[in-house]
Amino acid sequence: MTLPSLSDLTPVPLEAFLTVAALLFCIGVWGLINSRNAVRVLMSIELMLNGVNINLMAFSSHLDGQEIRGQVYAIFVITVAAAEAAVGLAILLSLYRNRETVDMERFNLLRW
Amino acid sequence: MPSLADLTELIVFVLLAAGVVVGSLGVVLLPNIVYSAFLLGGVFLSVAGLYLLLNASFIAAAQVLIYVGAVNVLILFAIMLVNKREPLADAPGLGLRRLLSSGVCAGLLWLLLRVAYTTPWATPGPTPLGEDAVVRLGEHFFTDYLLPFELASVLLLMAMIGAIVLARRDVFASDIGTGEEADQGLIEKARTPLLIEKSRP
């Protein structure tokens, strides 16, 4: 395997965008599992949604340039993400009022 | 040798990708959550730049407006409202869990990269639309994607009402937890949390 030359990398290939999206998604998953602070968990979910959106936009531009269905899906993902953020933060606020903590380890009412 | 425009595109992509990756690592790893929230705004802006590179100026503008303008501000508000510094007690098995989840995430990354680099993508596809993309998006929304488009508006309305109901404190005439008369004022007042005794061992 040889390193790609500079002219192979221009214009920016589809795989480069997919790599960035995969990195963003995996960092989001790691943060989702390992964060103790509930606000940081919500931020990790936003990171994951953005990673998926980069994927959709990359495919839309490189493989579906005329119909741009990827952009349509990206708009729906952004809409759902906004709704999720609002409801998630409201739930977090309600939890904080009842438990007086944002530590994920102490939200254990349904745990056995 | 690539042309100047292509070279500029490559350099901008590398800068934006580095911003996205470093920023998201900062969001996850920094101990101070306020820094995390501001870095998250930086990540959203970098992602909007990537959208511009992908011929999607409308989505880039929507990304800046919705994510940076609304979601990030909402997260900052949440940090402000739950602003309590507490020492996090050690939970058992945290190190093991961190190790296992790192392994799972690395495996997932390897899988995704393998799919991305071994699939023979049909590139180059059709020429991207460029500035006419907004027109095509509008056509999509009012013809073949009309039903999801209308459902999205209903979803946003439901999320708005749900967020108000969840976050507002006293919506009942009497408190369902304690039975006493509920205060209908809009200002936050001190009250004993319902579940706080049960949460202390």
Side-chain angles (χ1 to χ4, degrees):
Chain A
M1 181 178 170
T2 55
L3 283 175
S5 70
L6 197 59
S7 50
D8 287 343
L9 288 175
T10 52
V12 185
L14 173 63
E15 286 87 354
F17 286 99
L18 296 188
T19 308
V20 175
L23 276 170
L24 194 55
F25 188 83
C26 290
I27 293 170
V29 171
W30 195 90
L32 183 71
I33 301 173
N34 283 304
S35 299
R36 296 287 297 273
N37 194 323
V39 183
R40 207 188 292 267
V41 171
L42 287 171
M43 292 200 245
S44 302
I45 296 175
E46 299 297 335
L47 287 183
M48 289 164 65
L49 286 165
N50 267 284
V52 173
N53 261 348
I54 293 179
N55 255 356
L56 287 173
M57 305 293 285
F59 285 127
S60 170
S61 176
H62 280 90
L63 304 177
D64 191 26
Q66 287 296 313
E67 285 295 313
I68 53 168
R69 277 161 291 203
Q71 294 194 23
V72 179
Y73 280 113
I75 289 206
F76 287 129
V77 172
I78 290 178
T79 313
V80 174
E84 175 265 336
V87 175
L89 291 171
I91 290 174
L92 173 70
L93 219 61
S94 169
L95 266 176
Y96 178 73
R97 281 183 189 144
N98 286 322
R99 304 302 291 247
E100 284 202 335
T101 178
V102 285
D103 185 4
M104 293 300 285
E105 294 299 318
R106 288 179 57 202
F107 298 148
N108 52 6
L109 200 65
L110 285 178
R111 193 193 229 179
W112 48 273
Chain B
M1 193 62 196
S3 69
L4 186 63
D6 283 348
L7 202 62
T8 315
E9 189 183 342
L10 183 66
I11 292 171
V12 169
F13 171 78
V14 169
L15 288 180
L16 287 174
V20 167
V21 173
V22 174
S24 56
L25 279 175
V27 169
V28 171
L29 295 176
L30 279 184
N32 191 334
I33 190 130
V34 181
Y35 295 163
S36 290
F38 279 110
L39 268 182
L40 188 70
V43 172
F44 289 156
L45 282 175
S46 302
V47 171
L50 286 180
Y51 291 170
L52 280 181
L53 282 184
L54 286 167
N55 306 303
S57 44
F58 175 72
I59 315 272
Q63 167 92 4
V64 173
L65 283 178
I66 297 175
Y67 272 111
V68 185
V71 172
N72 206 18
V73 171
L74 206 61
I75 286 176
L76 279 171
F77 262 107
I79 292 173
M80 194 183 74
L81 286 173
V82 299
N83 184 17
K84 193 174 88 167
R85 292 195 182 275
E86 50 181 337
L88 294 179
D90 270 342
L94 210 60
L96 179 69
R97 195 198 311 172
R98 191 152 291 189
L99 208 66
L100 277 177
S101 60
S102 301
V104 168
C105 289
L108 182 66
L109 182 66
W110 180 77
L111 192 71
L112 288 173
L113 291 183
R114 194 175 155 74
V115 169
Y117 282 95
T118 56
T119 313
W121 305 113
T123 47
T127 324
L129 274 174
E131 290 305 311
D132 288 335
V134 188
V135 180
R136 186 58 54 84
L137 269 181
E139 286 170 11
H140 274 308
F141 278 137
F142 285 98
T143 52
D144 44 353
Y145 289 96
L146 183 63
L147 181 65
F149 184 62
E150 298 296 334
L151 280 180
S153 61
V154 177
L155 176 80
L156 282 176
L157 180 67
M158 279 161 50
M160 189 176 78
I161 296 174
I164 293 172
V165 169
L166 281 170
R168 183 153 149 57
R169 183 167 274 176
D170 300 313
V171 283
F172 300 108
S174 65
D175 196 312
I176 50 169
T178 56
E180 66 203 23
E181 188 94 353
D183 193 338
Q184 299 290 340
L186 282 173
I187 301 169
E188 296 255 333
K189 297 172 189 69
R191 195 190 64 168
T192 3
L194 290 176
L195 294 170
I196 197 74
E197 286 84 8
K198 291 176 204 165
S199 67
R200 293 262 158 74

